Amino acid sequence: MKKKKYKLIIFESNRKEGCMSLAKKFYPATYSEEDRKRALKEVKDKIGKKYNFNGNHVLQPKQKDVEFKEDYPDGKYVRITNEYLMKEDYWDEEIICDILLIDTKFPNIVIGHRMADCPVIIAEDRKKQTVAVSHCGTSQINREVPKWTIKALKKECNSNVEDIYVYIGSCIKKDNYQYDRYPSRATNKEVWENCIIEQDNIYYIDLIQAIKRQLNNEGIISNHIKVSPIDTYSNKDYYSHTEEIKNPDCEIGQNFVGCFYQEIQSE
C-alpha cells in the first residue's frame, strides 16, 4: 500500500468572496446573529468550493488582544487534534491562543485568521509536514508572536530551522501605514528599531521588516521567507481597516489568510 502524500495549500480571501467575519459592524443593522452566520457560511462555502475543502472546516486561534477572552502566556500554541473537530461548524470552536499547528493527519482542515491590514504568517516544517499559523498585527509583533510561532514548531516537532519555510500574507505596507504620532502599542523598542521611521511628523510602520527580524533571529534565512507583494490598503480587492478609517463610505469587512494539507492524487 502506497503511503499517501500531501501538499500545503495556502490561500487568501478578499472582497471578491465576501466578508469573513461575524462582527456586527460589517452587516446591516437589521441583521440578526443568525442572519450574520448565514451570510458568513455562504462566504466560507464559496471559498471552500474554490479551494476544495468543506466550508465548515475552518479553525482560527482567538488571541487575547483580538478577542479579549482571557489572558495567557505570550506564544501559547495549540496543536489540532480530534478534540477540536467535534462541532458542526469549526468556526464556533474557541481555541484561545496565539498559534495553531496542524499536520497531515488532518487533511482538508483549514487553519488561518481573518485580517484587514495585519499580516498572517504561515510557517511550515516541510520535512515533518507540520504548519503553524499566527495573526501578527502591531500588538502581536510587539509581544514577539512571530518569534513564538517558530519556537512552537521547534518545541512541538523538534523542527530544524533549515526545514522551515515562512509565508507572510498580504498586509498594509510601510508607505501606507502611517501615524501622526509614535504608535502607543509599539512599546518593545528592540522589536521596532528601524521599523518605525519619522519623516515630516509622520511615522511609517514597517510590519514586514519587524516580522522578518524575529524570524531571522530564530534562524530562518531570508530565502525561506516569502512575502506577499499585495498592499491591502492600495489593492481594492482587499478589505482594509486603514481605508475604513480614511473613507467611511468604503465597503468594510475582513479578509482571511489560511492553509490546509491536501492529498496529492497519484496519476
Side-chain angles (χ1 to χ4, degrees):
M1 183 176 177
K2 285 187 177 181
K3 183 179 179 181
K4 292 182 178 179
K5 294 183 179 181
Y6 299 90
K7 62 180 177 180
L8 184 70
I9 305 296
I10 295 174
F11 69 93
E12 298 189 356
S13 77
N14 53 42
R15 282 180 171 134
K16 292 179 179 179
E17 287 82 26
C19 178
M20 278 288 278
S21 174
L22 279 176
K24 289 181 180 180
K25 63 180 284 187
F26 300 130
Y27 296 90
T30 55
Y31 270 39
S32 65
E33 182 177 3
E34 287 305 310
D35 291 332
R36 287 184 278 122
K37 284 185 175 181
R38 189 159 41 248
L40 176 60
K41 177 173 171 50
E42 289 179 3
V43 175
K44 289 190 297 169
D45 287 346
K46 185 189 300 184
I47 298 168
K49 184 176 181 181
K50 181 176 181 179
Y51 294 102
N52 198 26
F53 63 83
N54 186 327
N56 282 337
H57 293 176
V58 179
L59 292 157
Q60 58 183 331
K62 294 188 180 297
Q63 291 179 308
K64 60 184 178 181
D65 40 16
V66 176
E67 307 290 347
F68 303 100
K69 294 282 185 179
E70 63 182 62
D71 199 4
Y72 54 76
D74 289 341
K76 178 184 176 184
Y77 70 84
V78 170
R79 188 169 186 164
I80 298 304
T81 63
N82 285 319
E83 172 188 354
Y84 301 103
L85 309 178
M86 305 299 289
K87 298 183 184 298
E88 181 180 355
D89 187 345
Y90 299 169
W91 196 270
D92 297 331
E93 189 67 58
E94 292 206 342
I95 312 177
I96 300 174
C97 63
D98 281 325
I99 303 150
L100 290 187
L101 289 84
I102 201 166
D103 55 48
T104 57
K105 296 185 187 71
F106 303 96
N108 302 314
I109 305 298
V110 172
I111 59 172
H113 207 285
R114 62 201 187 281
M115 49 73 72
D117 278 341
C118 296
V120 172
I121 68 172
I122 298 174
E124 184 194 17
D125 181 330
R126 290 188 177 176
K127 187 173 182 179
K128 297 185 176 178
Q129 289 204 291
T130 301
V131 64
V133 166
S134 60
H135 164 264
C136 293
T138 305
S139 296
Q140 295 79 40
I141 294 170
N142 191 72
R143 55 187 183 82
E144 301 181 280
V145 171
K147 173 189 78 174
W148 292 114
T149 304
I150 304 305
K151 284 188 176 296
L153 285 171
K154 291 178 179 178
K155 182 177 180 181
E156 184 66 19
C157 306
N158 197 28
S159 292
N160 295 316
V161 290
E162 57 265 29
D163 298 324
I164 299 175
Y165 290 74
V166 181
Y167 172 75
I168 303 174
S170 300
C171 66
I172 190 168
K173 302 300 193 286
K174 69 174 182 178
D175 288 348
N176 288 318
Y177 199 12
Q178 306 171 11
Y179 274 67
D180 60 1
R181 60 183 66 86
Y182 192 91
S184 60
R185 289 176 292 178
T187 58
N188 190 330
K189 300 300 182 183
E190 184 177 347
V191 162
W192 296 107
E193 184 180 0
N194 298 323
C195 296
I196 299 177
I197 305 298
E198 186 267 330
Q199 291 181 344
D200 299 324
N201 296 318
I202 299 294
Y203 290 83
Y204 296 84
I205 298 99
D206 191 341
L207 301 175
I208 299 299
Q209 183 179 341
I211 290 172
K212 279 185 172 182
R213 176 183 295 152
Q214 292 184 39
L215 297 177
N216 292 156
N217 288 344
E218 283 301 308
I220 308 300
I221 62 174
S222 296
N223 285 347
H224 284 202
I225 302 171
K226 178 181 179 181
V227 180
S228 168
I230 292 172
D231 184 326
T232 48
Y233 176 73
S234 59
N235 188 306
K236 297 311 176 185
D237 286 339
Y238 280 72
Y239 296 109
S240 166
H241 180 64
T242 303
E243 183 189 13
E244 177 185 341
I245 293 171
K246 292 184 176 183
N247 176 17
D249 296 325
C250 76
E251 180 186 2
I252 62 175
Q254 287 189 307
N255 318 290
F256 191 88
V257 177
C259 64
F260 62 97
Y261 281 105
Q262 182 182 81
E263 184 180 352
I264 298 172
Q265 300 298 325
S266 58
E267 296 181 357

